[in-house]
Amino acid sequence: MLRTIQAVTATIFLAGHAVPVAAEPIIRAVLVDGNAYVSPLLNIRSGEPNWEETGGNFTLLSQPLNAPQGLQVKLKLTDVVEAQTNMSILHRWQVDKDRVHFLSYHPFGDAAFNIVSYPLDIVRNLGKASTSIKETADRKQKFDQTRISVHSPMLIRTVSRSLNSWNAGFVVYDILPVAQNQYECYVSAPEDGQNRITRLISSRTKKDVRIEWSEDGVWSAKFGSRFYSTSNGDDRFFINEEGNVYFAPREAKPAKAGKPLKELWLDWKIKPVNALIHDVDNAKWYAFTKDQYFEVKDPIKPLSHKLNIVRADKATEALEIAAKCGRVIRGLPEPKVK
């Protein structure tokens, strides 16, 4: 039974600074091939619903949309997402039609930030629920053979410089895969009374040449909370933890640095976004409030639903809510309990 959770704003203290966050994080989920996926971490500072096992390894939980309840797949990859539980390292991940991507962090060495990916087919083929979240040696070998890691030196410099400054607790970021081994990274940091959001893009001119990162756009934003980045064609959108939606259109000519983001969801104070669902099969993103949902695009065109979508602090609750949202998006009935 879902607990009714009010989407209120609270304050936590990171690195000696007060950081405004929602009482519960936005539910972040993906729909692929008739399944809903969430990726939790135990550490609440990561901004994700809690999972019962300790550690910062990347984990996927899955539930089919046509099943009434129950965990279908428990998967724990070998990469560390958050190496130190006392640090505020955000958990960031994405799924496209071919691969699972996530940001791996390690506090030491010159490879502190890497974007890691695995083929989605490996996840699809795990048709049975695992008895334990820990991977067996043979499954681990399959993952290791197909692992791709994108080194991100410019991302390291940009994020690490901000993390090491006085405003470290306010630095937030997200990643978006845009093509094979190509990514966008969005970093938000305080500047002159508001926040500066910088887009970094990765590129590689030759197959064996190291990935390079370059700056490709800077916007100003009134919010400084955690956010998620989404796409609709060439347009980019940001959904912050307070449940608002902001718009950064792709322009023919580069926008003047610091151009303000456009605020799209004007009802966020009374109807904040509680769930953000990426419909990978149809290349669309959807935002759910307690009684409305809409595709994340400009303009927003909200539709009503009857699910009473609320935020969750546990991964299993978040997965169940994500599956309900997925049925609304796909026009599927609620499955009957046998």
Side-chain angles (χ1 to χ4, degrees):
M1 183 184 225
L2 300 178
R3 294 184 296 116
T4 301
I5 302 173
Q6 298 296 329
V8 297
T9 300
T11 300
I12 61 174
F13 292 87
L14 303 177
H17 304 284
V19 183
V21 296
E24 305 294 347
I26 288 178
I27 294 170
R28 165 84 169 81
V30 168
L31 305 179
V32 183
D33 296 338
N35 290 282
Y37 289 91
V38 300
S39 182
L41 281 182
L42 181 68
N43 186 358
I44 191 61
R45 296 179 186 176
S46 67
E48 301 289 336
N50 290 339
W51 181 232
E52 61 262 28
E53 299 208 16
T54 59
N57 292 80
F58 182 79
T59 307
L60 275 179
L61 308 182
S62 174
Q63 179 181 322
L65 297 182
N66 60 2
Q69 280 185 354
L71 208 60
Q72 179 71 7
V73 174
K74 292 192 291 186
L75 166 67
K76 183 174 183 178
L77 300 183
T78 56
D79 291 87
V80 173
V81 178
E82 185 173 52
Q84 295 183 357
T85 56
N86 63 337
M87 298 185 70
S88 176
I89 303 304
L90 293 176
H91 183 200
R92 288 297 178 256
W93 62 285
Q94 300 283 354
V95 175
D96 57 31
K97 289 186 177 181
D98 299 313
R99 301 186 72 86
V100 179
H101 314 263
F102 57 93
L103 187 65
S104 176
Y105 172 79
H106 195 280
F108 306 106
D110 63 352
F113 287 91
N114 282 285
I115 299 174
V116 179
S117 74
Y118 292 90
L120 184 59
D121 279 342
I122 292 183
V123 179
R124 288 191 181 106
N125 293 335
L126 298 177
K128 295 182 179 180
S130 302
T131 56
S132 171
I133 198 168
K134 295 182 179 180
E135 299 301 331
T136 59
D138 58 332
R139 293 213 314 189
K140 181 178 181 298
Q141 184 178 16
K142 290 181 180 179
F143 286 119
D144 290 344
Q145 290 172 346
T146 56
R147 180 182 187 274
I148 294 177
S149 180
V150 175
H151 185 61
S152 48
M154 188 167 183
L155 176 57
I156 293 171
R157 291 196 299 271
T158 303
V159 177
S160 295
R161 181 173 62 248
S162 299
L163 286 174
N164 291 328
S165 66
W166 65 269
N167 57 12
F170 295 91
V171 177
V172 291
Y173 45 86
D174 198 7
I175 59 171
L176 274 178
V178 293
Q180 185 175 6
N181 291 338
Q182 292 184 335
Y183 298 91
E184 295 177 352
C185 178
Y186 295 86
V187 182
S188 174
E191 182 181 72
D192 299 331
Q194 53 187 356
N195 272 57
R196 179 189 72 255
I197 295 181
T198 303
R199 172 166 54 205
L200 306 174
I201 59 173
S202 68
S203 62
R204 182 165 55 187
T205 56
K206 296 181 180 180
K207 183 177 181 181
D208 297 327
V209 176
R210 187 173 179 148
I211 293 289
E212 297 293 338
W213 289 84
S214 59
E215 187 176 295
D216 183 57
V218 179
W219 297 270
S220 65
K222 296 179 181 179
F223 65 89
S225 59
R226 297 164 179 154
F227 67 88
Y228 299 95
S229 55
T230 75
S231 62
N232 188 304
D234 291 332
D235 295 334
R236 298 294 181 263
F237 301 83
F238 304 94
I239 293 83
N240 70 347
E241 203 64 52
E242 281 73 41
N244 204 344
V245 181
Y246 293 83
F247 178 35
R250 174 71 81 172
E251 302 180 9
K253 296 181 180 180
K256 182 179 179 181
K259 182 177 180 179
L261 295 174
K262 179 181 178 181
E263 185 177 2
L264 289 186
W265 184 233
L266 302 181
D267 290 339
W268 67 274
K269 290 184 179 180
I270 58 174
K271 294 184 178 183
V273 173
N274 288 334
L276 177 62
I277 312 295
H278 185 190
D279 184 354
V280 173
D281 296 328
N282 296 298
K284 295 181 179 181
W285 295 76
Y286 291 90
F288 279 74
T289 72
K290 60 182 180 180
D291 58 4
Q292 290 182 312
Y293 75 104
F294 50 84
E295 184 182 351
V296 180
K297 65 178 184 179
D298 184 35
I300 286 178
K301 298 179 180 180
L303 300 171
S304 62
H305 66 74
K306 300 179 180 179
L307 295 180
N308 188 27
I309 298 299
V310 296
R311 300 188 184 193
D313 64 346
K314 294 183 179 179
T316 49
E317 293 176 351
L319 182 60
E320 180 63 23
I321 294 170
K324 290 178 179 291
C325 293
R327 294 177 195 120
V328 170
I329 292 170
R330 300 290 176 84
L332 300 175
E334 285 289 315
K336 296 181 179 179
V337 179
K338 296 181 180 180

